[in-house]
Amino acid sequence: MRKSLLAVGLLLLSFPGFAQSNPPIAVIPQPVYLLQGKGYFTFSGKLSIIFSGDEEIRKIAGHLATRIEKASGIKPVIKKGTAAEPNSIFLKTAGSRAGSPAPGGYTLEVTPKTITLVSLPMNPAGMFHGVQTLLQLFPKEIESNTHLSPRQWKIPVVTIQDSPRFGWRGLMLDVSRHFFTVPQVKDYIDQMVKYKFNLLHLHLTDDQGWRLQIKSLPKLTEVGAWRVEKTGTFGRFSPPAADEPRTYGGFYTHEDIKEIVRYAAERYVDILPEIDFPGHSLAALASYPELSCTPGTYAVNSGEQFMIWPGGGQHFYGTLDNTLCPANEKVYDFIDKVFTEVAQLFPFGYIHMGGDETARNFWEKTEQIKALMQKEKLKDLDEVQSYFVKRVEKIINAKGKKMIGWDEILQGGLAPNAAVMSWRGMKGGIEAAKQGHEVVMSPTDFAYIDYMQGDAVLEPPVYASLRLKKAYQFEPLPEGVDPALIKGGQANLWTEQVYNMRHAQYMTWPRGFAIAEALWSPKEKRNWNDFVSRVERHFERLDAAAVKYAPSMYDAIFEVSKKDTATIIVKLATEIEGLSVHYSFDNSFPDNFYPAYSTPLTVPKDAAAMKVITYRDNKPVGRLMVMPVAELKKRAGIK
Ligand code: ACM
C-alpha cells in the first residue's frame, strides 16, 4: 500500500504541468510584490503576443518576440487586440485608475493559460521592464540559442506588482582609458537592461583619450584619441619614446553616437555624456596645448604615472599639468564649441562636466591665475575652480541642458543649478541636497566596480576592494535629506585596468545585480542570503548568454594578524554561507579531503605558501588561492 502510494506520488511529481510547488522564482532586482502560484504556462506551437496600445507598445512586443524566436525557434504572432487569449502573452496598457502601476512600473500575471503584462499607457518603460521580468521567468535557455521543445518552455504561475524605487539607475563605462566599440557598447546596454538599469553614463574624455568627434575641433580626435598601446599594469608603464607609434584608441563619430543613442532609447536607456574638465584633460591638451596655463608639448597619456598620491588618499598633485586654464578666455570658447555639439548629439537632459581630481599645483604658480584671482576677488584655488565650474554651467545651461558634476564641484561654492554626483562617499551628496541641489549617489565604498571584488592574490590588481556583500549594502537615500532630491545612483566602471569587454563584464556582474537591487527594490526587501541564491540562478543565465562574471563570492577571505613578533595567525572566512574552506601549507593542492578550516591557524615557521580552496557538497566552488607566506608576513606587519 505504502509502496503504491509512493509510486503514484513519483508519477505525479514527474508529470509536467502537474500543480506541484515550483522551484522559487529568482528575479533580480527583487520585485515589490511577488506571489508565486502552482503550475506553469507552457508554449503551444502557436504562441501569440497580443498588444493594446500604440506603435511603441508594438515595438516592445517585437522586442519580446525577437528574444523568444532567437532562443526557441518559435515565432510568436504579434497582433493588436483588447483581451488575452489562450496561449498568448497580452501586453495591455491600462488607464490611470487607482492601483495601476507607478511610472516605470508594471503588473504581471502568469496563469497556466495566459500571461498578462500591464503598464500605464503613458509608461512604455514600465512595459519594457515588465518584459525583462517576464524573460527572467523563462528557462535560462532564453539567453542562448538552445532550442528547447515547446513543452519545455515553462513559465511559472505568478503575480507580480512592481515599480522602481529610484528613477536614475545607472552604470558608468569609462571608454577613455580603454576604448570600447559601438557593438560592444550596445552589448553592454543589452546586458544592463535585463536588470532594469535605465542610464548609461559614458566617460568620454580623460588623460588617456578623447573619444567623441567634435567637428569644430578636429584635432581632439586626430591627436587626442590615440596613444601608445601598452599591456600590463596601467599607471606603471614606462614613458613612451617619442617615436613609438600612437595606434591604440578610437572615437565615436556623430553617426556612432546617434546609433548608440537610438539603440539605448529603444531599450529605455538614457545616455549621459561626460566631458571631464578642467582636470583629466591631457588628451585635450595634446590636441590644443594653448588651453593650458603652462603651454608646451603634451601627449596623450599611455599609462605612465604622472599624478602622485602621497599616502594614497585624497591628496594628489601632477608631475605634468593636465588641466585646462580657468584664466584663459580661449578655454571657454573651446568648451562652448564642445558642448554645442554634445548638446546636439545627446538628447538626455543632463551633461556631465567632470570636475573631479583637479591637480592645481601648476595653477598656484602661474601669473594668469594670480591675475584672475585679483580681478574676480577669488580668495583661494577652490574659488578659482568654482569660478570655472560656474562659467561651464552657464555654457551648458545656454544649450538647454542641466549640468551635473563630480562632488568636487562643491569646493569653493556650488554652481546655482548644478546636480552633484557624489563619489567620495555620500557626504558630498548630502551637502548638495542640503543646499537644495539634485544628487546622484555613486560612492566608492559601495558602487565602484573597478575595485577588486576579492583578494589581491587572485584578482587583477586595483588599489582598492569592493566585495559583492558590501555592494549589496548600498543605500542611496541618506537620512535627513529631502528624498525628492536624491535622484538615484549608479555603479562606475573605470577602465584603467580593464583592457577588454570580457573583463568589463567580469567587473560588472554580479556587483551590478547588487546595485540594480539597491536602486529598484524596496529597502525592506533587502536580504543577503536570498539575494545570493538568486545570484546563483542568474550565473546560470549569464553562462547561457556567454557573459562573463566574477565568481569571487565563492573564494575564501583572509584575515591576517600576528602573535608575538614573528608568528602569523590566519583566520579564514567566506562571503556566502554553506562553504567549507580547505587548506595546505605543504605546497600541495588542497581538496575536500584536506583539513577544513574551523579555528584560527598558526602558519608553520618554514612554510613557503598557504593554499586554500572552498567546497560545497563535495565540489570545488571557489578558485584555488595561493598565498605566499611572504605576503602573509606583509599583511601581518612582520618584517
Ligand atoms: C572619480 O572617481 N575620479 C570620479
Side-chain angles (χ1 to χ4, degrees):
M1 174 68 182
R2 279 219 178 124
K3 261 192 189 155
S4 60
L5 267 182
L6 186 68
V8 170
L10 285 175
L11 190 72
L12 287 175
L13 276 174
S14 61
F15 186 74
F18 178 73
Q20 77 240 26
S21 291
N22 300 353
I25 283 170
V27 175
I28 296 178
Q30 185 71 278
V32 173
Y33 173 85
L34 183 154
L35 182 66
Q36 187 163 4
K38 288 183 173 169
Y40 293 93
F41 173 96
T42 345
F43 281 16
S44 86
K46 285 192 261 76
L47 181 70
S48 55
I49 301 177
I50 303 171
F51 71 97
S52 76
D54 57 9
E55 176 59 20
E56 198 158 352
I57 302 296
R58 196 201 60 74
K59 274 196 186 150
I60 296 171
H63 171 87
L64 176 60
T66 306
R67 289 286 308 271
I68 292 173
E69 190 185 353
K70 195 164 155 244
S72 69
I74 295 167
K75 189 178 167 72
V77 177
I78 301 177
K79 57 185 186 186
K80 199 159 183 164
T82 51
E85 294 168 11
N87 301 317
S88 73
I89 300 172
F90 180 38
L91 307 186
K92 175 180 167 184
T93 47
S96 55
R97 65 189 157 71
S100 61
Y106 63 92
T107 63
L108 174 61
E109 184 85 40
V110 179
T111 73
K113 289 262 175 316
T114 58
I115 295 174
T116 305
L117 188 49
V118 185
S119 79
L120 285 174
M122 304 312 288
N123 178 26
M127 187 66 83
F128 186 79
H129 299 320
V131 163
Q132 304 312 314
T133 299
L134 174 58
L135 288 167
Q136 289 191 17
L137 302 179
F138 280 56
K140 66 179 186 306
E141 286 77 9
I142 191 73
E143 297 293 342
S144 69
N145 297 328
T146 314
H147 289 191
L148 302 177
S149 72
R151 286 187 69 81
Q152 289 172 301
W153 287 105
K154 298 198 307 183
I155 298 154
V157 167
V158 70
T159 301
I160 292 175
Q161 288 161 9
D162 205 6
S163 58
R165 185 171 171 213
F166 295 100
W168 184 301
R169 302 182 302 279
L171 287 177
M172 189 213 77
L173 181 64
D174 169 4
V175 293
S176 171
R177 273 56 179 270
H178 283 100
F179 182 59
F180 296 92
T181 62
V182 172
Q184 287 174 324
V185 171
K186 285 180 173 177
D187 190 60
Y188 201 71
I189 292 171
D190 282 342
Q191 303 315 322
M192 64 187 268
V193 298
K194 290 178 187 173
Y195 298 100
K196 302 188 177 72
F197 285 103
N198 65 352
L199 181 131
L200 178 64
H201 167 173
L202 289 177
H203 181 74
L204 288 163
T205 71
D206 214 300
D207 300 305
Q208 291 80 12
W210 184 284
R211 305 286 174 224
L212 178 66
Q213 179 186 34
I214 300 295
K215 289 186 176 168
S216 58
L217 296 161
K219 281 201 238 163
L220 283 173
T221 44
E222 284 164 14
V223 177
W226 307 99
R227 64 172 171 83
V228 176
E229 180 153 28
K230 300 265 188 175
T231 299
T233 305
F234 204 91
R236 296 204 201 136
F237 294 140
S238 52
D243 61 352
E244 275 189 88
R246 296 191 159 263
T247 49
Y248 178 85
F251 62 91
Y252 306 116
T253 64
H254 282 204
E255 290 314 306
D256 289 339
I257 293 295
K258 285 179 198 156
E259 171 82 9
I260 291 172
V261 164
R262 184 191 56 73
Y263 192 85
E266 282 171 7
R267 286 154 184 79
Y268 299 91
V269 169
D270 289 313
I271 304 287
L272 171 69
E274 180 188 352
I275 307 291
D276 199 350
F277 295 145
H280 290 274
S281 290
L282 270 184
L285 294 177
S287 315
Y288 297 100
E290 64 273 21
L291 302 177
S292 165
C293 292
T294 52
T297 308
Y298 288 91
V300 180
N301 178 264
S302 301
E304 64 277 15
Q305 191 181 43
F306 71 96
M307 293 278 281
I308 310 291
W309 305 79
Q314 300 288 339
H315 303 287
F316 50 84
Y317 60 91
T319 54
L320 271 177
D321 184 5
N322 68 337
T323 64
L324 301 189
C325 188
N328 182 349
E329 281 306 309
K330 278 191 203 150
V331 163
Y332 301 101
D333 296 341
F334 167 82
I335 291 173
D336 192 284
K337 283 185 178 154
V338 170
F339 285 137
T340 298
E341 295 188 33
V342 170
Q344 284 163 1
L345 284 172
F346 294 90
F348 191 48
Y350 293 77
I351 290 177
H352 199 307
M353 57 71 61
D356 59 320
E357 297 177 322
T358 305
R360 299 171 323 196
N361 48 301
F362 287 88
W363 290 2
E364 216 160 27
K365 296 184 199 123
T366 49
E367 291 309 316
Q368 271 176 290
I369 295 285
K370 284 180 197 156
L372 176 77
M373 289 174 78
Q374 249 184 0
K375 179 164 166 257
E376 299 292 335
K377 301 191 177 36
L378 308 172
K379 69 175 185 309
D380 55 25
L381 293 177
D382 276 350
E383 291 196 0
V384 173
Q385 182 175 301
S386 168
Y387 166 85
F388 171 86
V389 172
K390 285 174 182 155
R391 286 197 59 177
V392 172
E393 179 176 72
K394 281 207 181 110
I395 295 170
I396 290 177
N397 288 169
K399 315 284 173 213
K401 302 287 185 180
K402 287 183 95 167
M403 185 182 83
I404 185 164
W406 300 110
D407 58 63
E408 286 94 329
I409 67 172
L410 281 150
Q411 294 165 350
L414 203 44
N417 311 311
V420 168
M421 192 169 271
S422 190
W423 72 280
R424 298 175 305 162
M426 308 277 284
K427 61 183 185 317
I430 293 169
E431 193 186 325
K434 290 201 164 147
Q435 292 181 28
H437 291 253
E438 291 177 331
V439 170
V440 173
M441 292 292 190
S442 59
T444 53
D445 357 14
F446 299 99
Y448 262 40
I449 57 173
D450 59 322
Y451 287 6
M452 294 180 292
Q453 41 210 323
D455 198 291
V457 290
L458 259 187
E459 301 289 345
V462 181
Y463 58 93
S465 296
L466 171 63
R467 287 186 177 274
L468 177 63
K469 194 168 188 175
K470 186 84 188 281
Y472 194 63
Q473 288 157 13
F474 179 33
E475 171 45 41
L477 184 59
E479 281 178 12
V481 302
D482 176 0
L485 291 170
I486 309 298
K487 296 178 70 64
Q490 61 180 52
N492 297 333
L493 182 56
W494 302 100
T495 60
E496 286 95 328
Q497 312 298 348
V498 180
Y499 286 69
N500 60 62
M501 192 32 90
R502 291 296 287 173
H503 193 53
Q505 293 171 348
Y506 176 94
M507 298 304 280
T508 305
W509 315 112
R511 287 179 298 189
F513 297 159
I515 302 299
E517 193 140 315
L519 295 171
W520 179 282
S521 308
K523 189 178 169 186
E524 59 280 6
K525 284 235 159 176
R526 217 84 71 85
N527 178 326
W528 169 245
N529 287 336
D530 177 70
F531 175 67
V532 168
S533 69
R534 285 180 288 122
V535 166
E536 294 203 272
R537 301 270 298 279
H538 281 262
F539 281 169
E540 294 171 12
R541 304 180 83 83
L542 295 182
D543 282 335
V547 171
K548 201 172 189 186
Y549 55 88
S552 316
M553 70 177 198
Y554 295 115
D555 299 328
I557 300 172
F558 281 74
E559 191 190 317
V560 188
S561 58
K562 66 179 171 186
K563 195 172 74 184
D564 312 323
T565 53
T567 310
I568 309 168
I569 305 296
V570 174
K571 286 187 190 166
L572 296 173
T574 56
E575 199 167 349
I576 65 173
E577 290 182 0
L579 310 186
S580 56
V581 190
H582 303 271
Y583 61 90
S584 79
F585 287 109
D586 60 9
N587 296 333
S588 64
F589 295 116
D591 63 14
N592 52 333
F593 291 86
Y594 276 59
Y597 175 83
S598 59
T599 53
L601 300 166
T602 302
V603 177
K605 188 162 168 285
D606 293 311
M610 181 176 185
K611 292 187 181 169
V612 166
I613 191 162
T614 58
Y615 270 70
R616 181 169 63 191
D617 302 332
N618 295 321
K619 290 196 191 73
V621 285
R623 294 168 293 186
L624 179 73
M625 298 174 74
V626 180
M627 180 68 80
V629 168
E631 172 66 18
L632 289 176
K633 268 194 184 146
K634 208 161 93 188
R635 294 187 188 186
I638 296 172
K639 296 258 158 54

